[in-house]
Amino acid sequence: MIKYSFLFLLSLAAGLKMTAQDNRLTQKPTSSAAIYHQIEKLGFLGTALFVAAHPDDENTRLISWLANDRNAQTAYLSVTRGDGGQNLIGPQLREQLGLIRTQELLEARNIDGGEQFFTRANDFGYSKHPDETLEIWNKQEVLEDMVRIIRTFKPDVIINRFDHRSPGTTHGHHTSSAMLSMTAYEIAGLKSAYGQQLATLEPWQAARIFFNTSWWFYGSEDAFAKADKTNLIQLDAGTYFPWSGYSNGEVAAQSRSRHQSQGFGSSGSRGEQTEYLEFLDGSFPTNKDDVFSGINTTWTRVKGGAAVEKQWQKICASYDFKNPEASLEELITMRKLINNLKDAHWKKIKLAAIDYIILQVAGVYIELSASEPHATPGEVYNLNLELTNRSSKNIQFSIQGNNVLKPTETSHDIAGNKSIDTKMILQVPQGYESSTPYWLQQPGTTGMYTVNDKNYITLPESQPAFNTRVAVTIGTATIVKTVPLLFKRTDPVRGEVREPFYVVPALSLAITNPVYIFNNNPQEVQVTVTPFMDIANAALVLRHPKSWTIAPANQSLKNLKKGISQQVAFTVTAPKTASQGSIHAQATVGQLSYSQQIISLEYNHIPNQQYVIDATATVVKPALINDAKRVAYITGAGDEVALAIEAIGTTVDQFVPANLPMDLSVYNAVVIGIRAANVHDDLPVAQTRLANYVNNGGTLIMQYNTAGRFDKDALGPLDITLSRKRVTNENAVVTFLAPNHKILNAPNKITQDDFKNWVQERGLYFPDKWDASFEPILGMHDDDEEMTTGSLIVAPYGKGHVIYTGLSLFRELPAGVPGAYRLLANMLNISN
Ligand SMILES: [Zn+2]
């Protein structure tokens, strides 16, 4: 397929990078007070970069204070996108969770006024030590990205969230982020470091670097009170912003509360709030309550800036809150002065800022929208372009089209407080690739995304699929605004909804399950075919490993209607012996072939996200016996274990604690989803029922919960104390502590082979204390650590059994690890 991304290249070349604001769901209202705040920001020429490892590590209070009190260019560099975290709001994990968390960060920055950067590093999961982290990440590549970001953003001040001198005391990613930040700070100014970047970027030496410390890093408030603070600067981040009506602490809480997938909702606070910064290197601030003191942050830092400074002061002094438009002429004069500057860095930043202000002052509103959420190559779409002038003067709008996006009329002269709607035509060429995040286009490694075009690295997300440019002439100034194409609709409940617009293929194919587990019987595999346009004839096949058989070989599909999905079934038969492979769905329409699945992530707190994967599934035939007929599953925070139980031939009924049946005797086992005790406050209510059920011969299987944040009564009829013990090495040696226990022997004989090819980790939050009737079954440990014995504990209880396991079955089962299925079958069958 031909890969088109010329629109993206075009916009990069012209330096017209879309701001995060352009792509957000809602447009921020700009009151005259908010416009004045933007004008104030025009006069500050200082930059701060905050560095940590994950989405949610950032100190939103400090970021908001830097952006809104000090008026600095402020950004958060999160080394990763948080793929390895847990998801409190849905089933998505890994890349899809990283996609959600990327958007949560962008929403947070939209509130606190910061920008957002990432590197190519992948959050591969929990890591105990930076030595391990930096081995799994490609240290040189992550450093290269951080240096690139420093050379692009040119921070005067770098602030690390974590201490680079304390390996082993927190997540290895945390310490690594600080260690790499120190090195990047030291080398970004050297021509010898990453010299290939210097074709487009200049070396940059930040003036100073800090560690954003707090009492927490000292162990207690007491210890912190007694600590030597000569190297610490201290600032009040509790500023009240009359222009917005919020205290900085309130803005910070709103920003932090965007991290919904992590459950980081927080309440705002008002009044004085102290932040501490430990000076690490560079020039010590001349004033101990100002991070920028001693650095010239006025217009005089750039050549020719004195005239701009003077003009800026004039605008500030004469700004009329009742009539911002009165400042238009003076702003246009200031724009000309900025345009004449030689300093490319500040010129670009301040031109973008003043252009935004001028358009706001003139009440200009431009929006390009489609009435459907996506386009298919080869099809033609009518779009609406709204051009609104709410100033008192005439404004000229000139629309710049291209081969894909054409205006029907190219220019409009619009009188004061008038709005017009004009048409644009979108025709997407054949071969145009489907929209997917740039960092997920190529397969990556455990520790790194693959990104071929280095220009992308400074972008937090892919650019919009399409954008047009509108030149707006106000008096003597012509401002070119890049306008993204959005999907806009009016929702009866939510009101106006704006979403990103995506490119989709003519057909999306999805195999129902990611993994199929086979016994000796054939299984039906369903492929969901979703046409994004009307298609008269298509043919569908399932490509498969040679030793497997699939019938029919080819399914023909007729009269597919746009937007109407249908399921097509194939019968798949495994070979007689144990086997593992993948199957791929592939459709042919005329000369064109389709083999991708479009995944759409839809949450109300972030813009809809589209992600493209290959329509494929893993097929596994383990040597497995399972006699469990029926299982009740109490859903937890979201996992695919119920699907895995169905895959080995057991019927699963899913419940939340509130609707669990009184009589559970029909079930071979009751399985509790991951973190159920953390997310269901009413889980303790079900315990009497569960205890009676086990007492009468049932099996209760509990999966991991996080230590803290739960009611101890939620963990079954016997005492269990959770710890933070985990084994992160997925290949860690497993010792059979109770080799003759039924759970390791029936109906499947568990061997060391069953612990091969595990993914990401062995398990997490293992209990470290338990009732004497429990027997620990497995021992395991990470390098240089003591053996943990709590990963799988089993106790008889009445006529039945209680099992608690922190083993990461929720990761291993969806990944098709045969040993995890064999172990699962033994758990389900233990009371038979
Ligand atoms: Zn973190």
Side-chain angles (χ1 to χ4, degrees):
M1 261 198 186
I2 315 160
K3 293 199 171 177
Y4 287 88
S5 56
F6 57 88
L7 287 174
F8 169 74
L9 291 173
L10 211 66
S11 63
L12 252 197
L16 287 168
K17 194 176 89 177
M18 207 75 56
T19 63
Q21 169 69 36
D22 286 320
N23 221 15
R24 295 296 93 196
L25 291 177
T26 46
Q27 293 203 330
K28 269 190 188 171
T30 38
S31 64
S32 65
I35 292 171
Y36 184 71
H37 173 60
Q38 294 299 323
I39 292 174
E40 279 185 312
K41 280 184 80 113
L42 276 183
F44 190 85
L45 284 74
T47 306
L49 181 65
F50 191 88
V51 180
H54 305 118
D56 78 20
D57 287 341
E58 83 275 26
N59 181 348
T60 54
R61 190 165 79 182
L62 189 55
I63 289 172
S64 174
W65 183 84
L66 287 161
N68 298 307
D69 178 294
R70 297 302 280 114
N71 291 331
Q73 296 292 121
T74 307
Y76 173 38
L77 165 50
S78 176
V79 175
T80 75
R81 295 173 186 270
D83 297 28
Q86 293 147 2
N87 184 357
L88 292 182
I89 55 169
Q92 297 85 8
L93 290 171
R94 304 298 319 156
E95 294 84 359
Q96 294 185 43
L97 177 59
L99 196 48
I100 291 170
R101 296 185 73 186
T102 295
Q103 291 300 319
E104 289 179 341
L105 272 184
L106 290 170
E107 290 294 327
R109 294 299 80 77
N110 195 36
I111 289 168
D112 62 35
E115 295 178 45
Q116 186 60 50
F117 294 110
F118 297 98
T119 74
R120 282 170 288 172
N122 190 336
D123 174 4
F124 55 82
Y126 193 79
S127 173
K128 289 173 181 164
H129 200 278
D131 287 352
E132 182 205 39
T133 301
L134 295 173
E135 214 169 275
I136 296 174
W137 287 349
N138 182 325
K139 184 181 169 184
Q140 288 311 316
E141 286 185 3
V142 182
L143 197 54
E144 178 186 348
D145 294 354
M146 293 174 85
V147 168
R148 177 180 293 277
I149 288 160
I150 290 173
R151 287 171 174 172
T152 304
F153 192 59
K154 300 190 171 179
D156 298 304
V157 174
I158 297 176
I159 302 169
N160 295 340
R161 166 80 281 190
F162 298 103
D163 189 346
H164 65 290
R165 301 154 297 193
S166 57
T169 56
T170 173
H171 197 319
H173 297 177
H174 292 165
T175 315
S176 299
S177 74
M179 292 164 69
L180 292 171
S181 178
M182 275 308 280
T183 310
Y185 156 83
E186 282 158 9
I187 66 174
L190 304 177
K191 283 192 175 151
S192 54
Y194 300 107
Q196 71 284 5
Q197 290 179 3
L198 300 176
T200 50
L201 300 169
E202 293 167 342
W204 181 257
Q205 180 57 57
R208 54 186 71 131
I209 184 164
F210 296 100
F211 158 46
N212 180 199
T213 192
S214 71
W215 67 262
W216 189 85
F217 291 95
Y218 288 75
S220 70
E221 293 191 55
D222 235 26
F224 185 57
K226 289 181 196 133
D228 173 16
K229 297 197 182 63
T230 39
N231 240 1
L232 261 54
I233 74 162
Q234 182 177 336
L235 51 91
D236 175 14
T239 317
Y240 175 55
F241 304 127
W243 59 268
S244 72
Y246 289 117
S247 279
N248 188 51
E250 294 175 300
V251 180
Q254 287 169 23
S255 170
R256 190 152 188 76
S257 299
R258 294 299 91 203
H259 294 300
Q260 290 188 12
S261 68
Q262 306 301 299
F264 272 36
S266 73
S267 296
S269 56
R270 290 153 289 278
E272 188 182 60
Q273 291 173 333
T274 309
E275 285 287 343
Y276 294 93
L277 300 176
E278 181 186 342
F279 174 78
L280 298 175
D281 195 46
S283 62
F284 197 85
T286 50
N287 181 344
K288 277 187 89 175
D289 62 5
D290 182 3
V291 285
F292 287 103
S293 57
I295 301 167
N296 184 356
T297 53
T298 71
W299 273 104
T300 58
R301 88 180 279 171
V302 301
K303 199 165 172 246
V308 188
E309 173 91 19
K310 220 172 129 195
Q311 178 66 13
W312 170 69
Q313 283 171 358
K314 190 171 165 191
I315 294 167
C316 291
S318 63
Y319 186 75
D320 180 353
F321 284 83
K322 286 192 216 154
N323 182 22
E325 197 187 329
S327 296
L328 204 45
E329 282 309 315
E330 300 293 1
L331 282 163
I332 289 170
T333 304
M334 182 169 172
R335 184 181 191 275
K336 279 183 194 138
L337 293 171
I338 296 173
N339 212 8
N340 289 337
L341 293 174
K342 293 253 176 334
D343 185 306
H345 179 68
W346 283 110
K347 178 170 154 178
K348 188 175 154 191
I349 291 166
K350 295 300 182 184
L351 262 187
I354 200 165
D355 283 355
Y356 174 81
I357 292 167
I358 291 171
L359 293 178
Q360 293 305 321
V361 160
V364 169
Y365 185 93
I366 307 175
E367 182 184 79
L368 178 62
S369 61
S371 58
E372 42 197 312
H374 35 60
T376 312
E379 299 287 278
V380 177
Y381 300 84
N382 285 328
L383 311 176
N384 185 61
L385 178 64
E386 178 191 331
L387 304 171
T388 298
N389 165 18
R390 288 173 289 184
S391 74
S392 60
K393 301 181 180 63
N394 276 24
I395 292 181
Q396 286 77 47
F397 296 80
S398 160
I399 306 152
Q400 303 172 359
N402 55 47
N403 290 336
V404 177
L405 196 52
K406 293 189 186 89
T408 50
E409 301 158 288
T410 53
S411 67
H412 296 270
D413 193 339
I414 302 179
N417 203 26
K418 290 270 190 295
S419 178
I420 66 149
D421 288 316
T422 175
K423 232 191 226 162
M424 290 192 81
I425 309 290
L426 173 69
Q427 179 158 27
V428 186
Q430 282 298 352
Y432 205 97
E433 61 184 11
S434 301
S435 313
T436 200
Y438 73 82
W439 63 95
L440 299 175
Q441 281 175 351
Q442 309 282 333
T445 63
T446 307
M448 298 297 292
Y449 303 117
T450 303
V451 178
N452 295 331
D453 184 344
K454 300 277 170 70
N455 284 315
Y456 282 98
I457 286 160
T458 54
L459 301 178
E461 61 176 339
S462 292
Q463 294 283 281
F466 306 102
N467 55 60
T468 190
R469 282 195 242 172
V470 179
V472 184
T473 303
I474 305 173
T476 55
T478 296
I479 292 169
V480 179
K481 184 171 164 58
T482 305
V483 184
L485 172 57
L486 298 167
F487 162 52
K488 182 173 157 182
R489 69 187 174 93
T490 305
D491 182 275
V493 177
R494 292 166 63 198
E496 183 180 287
V497 176
R498 295 146 53 92
E499 296 288 356
F501 185 88
Y502 293 116
V503 178
V504 292
L507 269 179
S508 168
L509 304 174
I511 302 177
T512 306
N513 297 344
V515 176
Y516 291 84
I517 302 295
F518 284 78
N519 46 35
N520 291 327
N521 302 324
Q523 258 190 77
E524 236 180 39
V525 169
Q526 302 272 359
V527 180
T528 304
V529 179
T530 305
F532 290 111
M533 57 188 278
D534 292 350
I535 295 171
N537 283 296
L540 181 65
V541 297
L542 267 189
R543 293 192 285 116
H544 57 89
K546 270 203 182 118
S547 55
W548 293 63
T549 49
I550 291 189
N554 187 321
Q555 302 260 25
S556 76
L557 310 170
K558 298 220 179 304
N559 297 322
L560 296 169
K561 292 279 169 243
K562 178 177 178 172
I564 312 263
S565 297
Q566 56 173 282
Q567 291 207 323
V568 180
F570 291 87
T571 304
V572 178
T573 311
K576 294 225 153 43
T577 51
S579 169
Q580 186 165 0
S582 20
I583 51 173
H584 304 266
Q586 189 173 12
T588 315
V589 180
Q591 303 291 316
L592 299 169
S593 125
Y594 301 93
S595 57
Q596 290 179 321
Q597 177 181 356
I598 300 297
I599 294 174
S600 186
L601 303 180
E602 297 180 8
Y603 286 100
N604 285 353
H605 69 302
I606 54 171
N608 289 348
Q609 295 299 298
Q610 177 172 305
Y611 173 38
V612 179
I613 58 170
D614 287 334
T616 177
T618 303
V619 286
V620 184
K621 188 187 181 194
L624 180 138
I625 301 163
N626 172 32
D627 297 320
K629 296 283 176 291
R630 201 172 192 97
V631 159
Y633 200 87
I634 301 180
T635 54
D639 58 65
E640 291 166 0
V641 175
L643 271 180
I645 298 172
E646 280 180 338
I648 56 173
T650 302
T651 303
V652 179
D653 297 330
Q654 299 203 46
F655 303 102
V656 291
N659 66 13
L660 189 69
M662 292 309 290
D663 180 7
L664 296 166
S665 60
V666 296
Y667 296 111
N668 295 87
V670 175
V671 183
I672 302 192
I674 61 167
R675 297 199 311 286
N678 302 121
V679 299
H680 293 306
D681 289 343
D682 55 352
L683 190 53
V685 180
Q687 295 304 320
T688 313
R689 214 172 309 165
L690 290 169
N692 286 336
Y693 157 73
V694 180
N695 203 23
N696 290 324
T699 302
L700 172 63
I701 302 169
M702 292 173 277
Q703 299 179 73
Y704 94 95
N705 292 279
T706 61
R709 279 210 279 194
F710 72 95
D711 184 334
K712 278 200 71 158
D713 291 343
L715 297 190
L718 299 167
D719 277 350
I720 295 171
T721 305
L722 300 183
S723 75
R724 294 180 184 277
K725 287 186 181 159
R726 60 207 296 165
V727 175
T728 58
N729 179 357
E730 66 272 27
N731 299 314
V733 172
V734 176
T735 305
F736 292 2
L737 302 173
N740 299 321
H741 197 285
K742 189 177 177 194
I743 204 158
L744 292 181
N745 291 283
N748 303 292
K749 174 81 186 161
I750 302 296
T751 70
Q752 287 295 335
D753 282 350
D754 293 305
F755 292 94
K756 286 185 180 154
N757 300 315
W758 280 44
V759 297
Q760 188 158 339
E761 63 190 354
R762 287 288 189 209
L764 64 176
Y765 293 103
F766 296 156
D768 62 352
K769 284 195 210 99
W770 43 76
D771 184 275
S773 54
F774 276 111
E775 187 166 3
I777 306 298
L778 302 172
M780 57 186 71
H781 63 91
D782 279 326
D783 289 350
D784 305 325
E785 290 191 358
E786 269 180 40
M787 181 182 284
T788 61
T789 56
S791 63
L792 173 62
I793 54 175
V794 184
Y797 184 84
K799 295 182 202 150
H801 291 85
V802 177
I803 301 175
Y804 190 96
T805 183
L807 290 172
S808 297
L809 296 176
F810 70 104
R811 295 194 199 281
E812 312 311 321
L813 296 168
V817 176
Y821 281 92
R822 287 163 46 83
L823 201 54
L824 173 71
N826 285 10
M827 292 185 203
L828 299 177
N829 289 282
I830 194 160
S831 301
N832 290 358

